[in-house]
Amino acid sequence: MEHSSEASAVVRFNDWLAVRMTVLFGSIWCVYAFTVFSLIPMVAPGWQNTLLYISNAIQLIALPALAVGSAILARSSEARADADHAALVEILDDVRQELMELRSLTSGIAANQAQDATGGTTMNVSADTFIAVDNIAPDASGQR
């Protein structure tokens, strides 16, 4: 059991380091540093071979670190997307349930229709409210 906690600590450290390196190499400050680094041979041409070696070493280290860091960041993005999807499905289920309840509450409205004295149809929405459905006043063109 103790061995697995040590391994998980190493994995957590490796993940943390890969993400930090990805963020570092993806920053504008790294661009500035590498720009200055690439201009050094213009000032000190004798350092060109040493700087070329250092540049190659940085590339050999940075490429795998960027790949691992990107994979780790993609995993956390996928986990967030899964959590968002689960929350949205739950909200959709709640909306569907509320819609079913609303339909059951409003299904009796059509049954409460009655003819008023003028022959039009009214709907009893509540105990105090009646809506005339058929007796709509014509507009200026004579249409209802």
Side-chain angles (χ1 to χ4, degrees), residues 65-118:
L66 289 171
V68 172
S70 296
I72 293 167
L73 292 172
R75 276 195 315 234
S76 62
S77 293
E78 187 175 323
R80 280 192 305 272
D82 289 343
D84 289 347
H85 176 72
L88 289 173
V89 167
E90 185 177 333
I91 290 170
L92 179 62
D93 289 342
D94 290 345
V95 168
R96 286 181 178 157
Q97 180 65 32
E98 289 175 6
L99 183 60
M100 287 176 35
E101 291 174 10
L102 183 61
R103 284 182 179 159
S104 69
L105 289 173
T106 59
S107 66
I109 290 177
N112 291 334
Q113 292 182 350
Q115 293 288 333
D116 66 1
T118 61

